[in-house]
Amino acid sequence: MKHLTIDELTGLLTRILAAHGAAPGVAEVLAQRCAACERDGAISHGVFRIPGIARTLAAGDVHGELRHEVEDPAPGVLRADAKGGFAQPVFEALRPRFVQKVRDTGIAVLAIRNAHHTSALWPDVEPLAEEGMIALAAVNCFACSLPFGAKSPVFGTNPFGFSAPRADGPPITFDMATTAMSHGDIQLAARDGRAVPEETGTGRDGLPTTDPQVILDGGALLPFGGHKGAAISMMVELLCAGLGGGALSLETGSSSHEGVFPSITGLTVIAIDSRHSAGGSFAQRAADLVHLMEDAGISRLPGQKRHDARATAAAHGIPLTDETWLSLLALEDGRRGS
Amino acid sequence: MKHLTIDELTGLLTRILAAHGAAPGVAEVLAQRCAACERDGAISHGVFRIPGIARTLAAGDVHGELRHEVEDPAPGVLRADAKGGFAQPVFEALRPRFVQKVRDTGIAVLAIRNAHHTSALWPDVEPLAEEGMIALAAVNCFACSLPFGAKSPVFGTNPFGFSAPRADGPPITFDMATTAMSHGDIQLAARDGRAVPEETGTGRDGLPTTDPQVILDGGALLPFGGHKGAAISMMVELLCAGLGGGALSLETGSSSHEGVFPSITGLTVIAIDSRHSAGGSFAQRAADLVHLMEDAGISRLPGQKRHDARATAAAHGIPLTDETWLSLLALEDGRRGS
C-alpha cells in the first residue's frame, strides 16, 4: 500500500493526463477533481477513472484544450458551449464570472453544453458553498436508465448535487446519481465481483438482476425511488439539455473505450447568495438542522463519510494499492516513452 | 353523484372559506387551488381538505387575512413574511413582482416564511411554466418523516415540485412528497381502510407497517428512495427554513384539529426565464424529450393523469359523491346560520 499527499497525487495525475493530450490547465483541473474524489473515498470518481480518461483523450473522443465560447444573455444567466471538451475546466474558467453574477443578482444559473463531465458533482458545488453560496448542480449523460414502464433506456444516471454553507462545519453536501446506483459503482462492483442490491438494474432481457456485469452488458439501471427518482432524472435532462441547449441523454452516444463513457452533454449549476437569506442567517440555520438531525440519531449525514476520509487522508496520506500505484506509473511512463 | 363546473366548485368553496373567516381575496385563492386539485384528480389536496381548513380558520390557528411584509434584498431575490397566514394568497400577491424579477435577471427566487401551505405545489409552478418559465418549488412542514437511522421524525413530507414549458402540450410538471407517500394520501387510505405499500411508514413502535392508521397514530413516514430521498427532503428544509428564514420542520407544531396540520413554515420558488435557454429552444427540447419518453414506452408521464382528469372534468364536470356534496353544503350552511 502506497500513501500519497493530495499534491503528490494531483501532480502524478496531471502528468498522466498531459501525456495523453490534455492541455496544461485542463490536465490540472481534471487531476485536482480526480485526486479530491480519491482522497474523499469517492473512489468511483477517483483514479479508477484515469485510464479511461487517458484512452479517450488519446483517441481524440474528447479534446484536451479549452475551446469554449461564452454566452451572456441576462444578468443572472451564463451559458457556454464547451465544444466537445471537458466540463470542469470550462466551469473553472467561468467560475469567477458566474460567482460575480450570483453576487450581483442574488441568484444565477450557469449552463455548459457539449461537455464531457468526468467527475463527481460535489467538487463543482462544494467550493461555491465554501464561498457562502447555496448551490445545485445537474449533469445528464448517455442513456442507461430505464424509468417506469419504459422498454429501453431513456435517461442517463443524471446526477444531482447540492451544497450549502454551515456555520460550524464544512458545507452540507449531497451528490447522487438519480439511478439506484452510479455507473461508476456498477463498474467497481463488476470489477470486484460483488453483487449489487435488488432493484438496481436489469439485464439485456429486461429482467431484474443483481449481477453488475449483466447490467453493463446491454442492460440498464433503474431510477432510485421508482417514478419519483425518474422525475428528478427528467428534471436533470430539462435543466441540462433543455436550458443549456446540449444533447438529451438519448441523443448522445457512448464510447467504445472500456470503462469510459464520454457523453457530450450538459452541466447546469444554480447558485444563490446566502447573504440574502432572511437575516443572513442561512449558515446558522443549516447548523441548527444538522444538530437536530444528529439529535434524532441520524447515522449517515450527507457528506460525512467523505469528510471523514478527507481527515484520514490529511493525517496519513491517500491510500493506493500497489497495483493501482504501479498502473498509474505505467500509464505515465507508457506515454512518455511512446 | 354530483357534477360541478370548476366555477361552481370554486364559488362554493370560496363561500365556505369566507364563512369560516377567510378574507375575500384569501378565500378565493384557496378555493381556486382546492377546486383545481379536485378537478385534476389530485383529491388528497381537493375538497377533502376543506373541512380541516375551515376548522383551522375558525379556531384562529391560521389567520384569514393578508398581512404579509415583503423584503427585496437583491435583483433576483424576493422574500416575504406571511405572518402566520396562508402561503398561496401571499404567493399570488407577489407573483407579478416575482415574475418581473425573473424577466429582468433571467432567474429569481421567492422565499415566503411563516406561512401555511394548504395545497399541492403544482398549482404554484404550472402557471409559471405556462408563462414560459422553468420553475422549482419546495415547502417544508411539520416533522413526520423518519430518515435513515433516525429514532424520531426529522423532516416533513417536504414536497418538491417542478414545471417547465413544452412546445406541443401543457407544461411538463411533477409534484412529489419526498416521503414515500404524501400525508394526505395516508389520510385518504386510512379513511377508506386501504393498506399502504411496504416501506411507506412505521408505527409508534418504529416497526414497519402497512396500516395507514398506525402510521397516523404517532408513527412516521419514510422518505422515498431511502437516503437519497431523505437528502432531497433535507434540501427542501434548507431552501425553505434556511433561505426563507422560517421554521424547520422540527420547530413547527401541528394542529390538534382532526385532519389538518397548519404547519407555519416556508415556501420557496425558483424560476428561470426559458427565453434565455440556448437558442430559446427550451419548450421544443422539452417536447423532444417527451416524444423520446413516449417512444420508449413510458406509460406514466409526469402530470399525464392530472391532465386526463382535467379534460374529463371539462367535458363532464367535476364529480363529487353525494356524501361530499352534502357535507360541503352543510359546511356552508352551518356557518351561515351560526
Side-chain angles (χ1 to χ4, degrees):
Chain A
M1 190 69 81
K2 199 67 190 157
H3 287 84
L4 273 65
T5 67
I6 183 78
D7 287 346
E8 286 166 350
L9 183 57
T10 303
L12 172 59
L13 300 184
T14 302
R15 292 192 299 278
I16 291 173
L17 295 173
H20 286 77
V26 171
E28 195 174 12
V29 169
L30 297 179
Q32 281 165 347
R33 301 292 179 106
C34 199
C37 286
E38 188 72 24
R39 175 199 63 193
D40 283 15
I43 57 170
S44 65
H45 289 97
V47 296
F48 160 72
R49 296 257 169 167
I50 289 292
I53 296 172
R55 277 195 297 274
T56 318
L57 269 168
D61 283 358
V62 177
H63 67 74
E65 301 88 46
L66 265 180
R67 301 177 184 166
H68 62 289
E69 282 176 17
V70 184
E71 297 150 11
D72 192 340
V77 183
L78 196 62
R79 291 197 317 259
D81 185 338
K83 305 255 171 193
F86 290 95
Q88 290 89 345
V90 176
F91 178 81
E92 287 304 323
L94 296 181
R95 216 162 82 86
R97 192 160 164 185
F98 177 56
V99 168
Q100 191 58 52
K101 278 180 175 274
V102 179
R103 299 283 181 223
D104 290 345
T105 64
I107 181 171
V109 57
L110 168 66
I112 300 172
R113 67 179 177 275
N114 298 330
H116 179 41
H117 197 282
T118 54
S119 185
L121 281 180
W122 65 259
D124 297 331
V125 287
E126 197 173 76
L128 294 172
E130 282 164 355
E131 289 190 60
M133 282 165 277
I134 305 147
L136 292 78
V139 167
N140 68 328
C141 58
F142 70 97
C144 61
S145 163
L146 198 68
F148 197 82
K151 286 162 190 67
S152 55
V154 177
F155 306 128
T157 56
N158 288 10
F160 183 61
F162 175 84
S163 190
R166 168 159 63 127
D168 56 1
I172 184 152
T173 305
F174 68 74
D175 176 8
M176 58 173 73
T178 55
T179 43
M181 193 176 271
S182 77
H183 206 270
D185 282 325
I186 300 279
Q187 291 178 62
L188 282 173
R191 184 193 72 180
D192 302 342
R194 283 181 281 112
V196 296
E198 308 263 346
E199 297 186 42
T200 296
T202 63
R204 184 191 295 269
D205 52 11
L207 298 175
T209 181
T210 59
D211 183 338
Q213 196 57 53
V214 172
I215 296 172
L216 293 174
D217 291 344
L221 293 166
L222 291 170
F224 89 95
H227 70 279
K228 293 190 180 188
I232 303 222
S233 207
M234 183 193 73
M235 179 182 77
V236 169
E237 292 283 342
L238 291 168
L239 288 175
C240 293
L243 184 64
L248 294 160
S249 291
L250 260 170
E251 295 170 336
T252 187
S254 77
S255 158
S256 55
H257 300 285
E258 190 193 343
V260 71
F261 300 86
S263 304
I264 305 297
T265 52
L267 164 66
T268 293
V269 182
I270 294 170
I272 304 169
D273 190 340
S274 74
R275 288 179 308 168
H276 300 309
S277 60
S281 64
F282 186 91
Q284 183 53 51
R285 298 297 282 148
D288 294 344
L289 177 61
V290 169
H291 293 155
L292 288 170
M293 289 167 71
E294 288 170 342
D295 289 348
I298 290 185
S299 52
R300 181 176 175 164
L301 283 177
Q304 189 59 49
K305 246 168 69 177
R306 284 198 303 101
H307 286 289
D308 291 348
R310 192 180 298 183
T312 304
H316 306 289
I318 302 166
L320 296 179
T321 64
D322 292 338
E323 188 188 348
T324 300
W325 169 245
L326 291 174
S327 75
L328 289 177
L329 291 185
L331 210 51
E332 187 193 9
D333 284 342
R335 298 299 302 186
R336 216 184 252 157
S338 73
Chain B
M1 189 69 79
K2 200 66 191 159
H3 287 84
L4 272 65
T5 66
I6 182 79
D7 287 346
E8 286 167 348
L9 182 57
T10 303
L12 173 60
L13 300 184
T14 303
R15 292 192 300 277
I16 291 173
L17 295 172
H20 286 76
V26 171
E28 196 174 10
V29 169
L30 297 179
Q32 282 165 349
R33 302 292 179 104
C34 199
C37 286
E38 188 72 24
R39 175 198 64 194
D40 283 15
I43 57 169
S44 66
H45 289 97
V47 297
F48 160 72
R49 296 258 170 167
I50 289 291
I53 296 173
R55 276 195 298 274
T56 318
L57 269 168
D61 282 358
V62 176
H63 68 73
E65 301 88 46
L66 266 180
R67 303 176 183 166
H68 61 289
E69 281 176 17
V70 184
E71 297 151 11
D72 192 339
V77 182
L78 196 61
R79 291 197 317 257
D81 185 338
K83 305 253 171 193
F86 290 97
Q88 289 90 345
V90 176
F91 178 80
E92 288 305 322
L94 297 181
R95 216 163 81 88
R97 190 160 165 187
F98 177 56
V99 168
Q100 191 58 51
K101 279 180 175 274
V102 179
R103 298 284 181 223
D104 290 345
T105 63
I107 182 171
V109 58
L110 168 65
I112 299 172
R113 68 179 176 275
N114 297 333
H116 178 42
H117 197 282
T118 54
S119 185
L121 281 180
W122 65 260
D124 297 330
V125 288
E126 197 173 77
L128 294 172
E130 281 165 356
E131 290 191 58
M133 282 165 277
I134 305 148
L136 292 78
V139 167
N140 68 328
C141 58
F142 70 96
C144 61
S145 163
L146 199 68
F148 196 84
K151 285 163 191 65
S152 54
V154 177
F155 306 129
T157 57
N158 288 11
F160 183 61
F162 175 84
S163 189
R166 167 159 64 125
D168 56 1
I172 185 154
T173 305
F174 69 73
D175 176 9
M176 60 173 72
T178 54
T179 42
M181 192 176 272
S182 76
H183 206 269
D185 282 326
I186 300 277
Q187 290 178 63
L188 282 173
R191 184 192 72 181
D192 302 343
R194 283 181 281 111
V196 296
E198 308 262 346
E199 297 186 44
T200 297
T202 63
R204 185 191 294 270
D205 52 10
L207 297 175
T209 181
T210 59
D211 183 338
Q213 196 57 54
V214 172
I215 296 172
L216 292 174
D217 291 343
L221 294 165
L222 292 168
F224 90 94
H227 70 279
K228 292 189 180 189
I232 305 229
S233 208
M234 183 193 72
M235 179 181 78
V236 169
E237 292 284 340
L238 291 168
L239 287 175
C240 293
L243 184 63
L248 294 160
S249 291
L250 260 171
E251 295 170 335
T252 186
S254 75
S255 157
S256 54
H257 300 285
E258 190 192 342
V260 71
F261 300 86
S263 304
I264 305 297
T265 52
L267 163 66
T268 293
V269 182
I270 295 170
I272 304 170
D273 190 342
S274 74
R275 289 179 308 169
H276 300 308
S277 60
S281 65
F282 185 92
Q284 184 53 53
R285 297 297 282 149
D288 294 345
L289 176 62
V290 169
H291 294 156
L292 288 169
M293 289 167 71
E294 288 169 343
D295 289 349
I298 290 186
S299 52
R300 181 174 177 164
L301 283 176
Q304 189 59 49
K305 245 168 72 178
R306 282 198 305 101
H307 286 290
D308 292 348
R310 192 180 298 184
T312 304
H316 306 290
I318 302 167
L320 296 179
T321 63
D322 292 336
E323 188 189 349
T324 301
W325 169 245
L326 291 174
S327 75
L328 290 177
L329 291 185
L331 211 49
E332 189 193 7
D333 284 341
R335 297 300 302 188
R336 216 185 251 156
S338 72

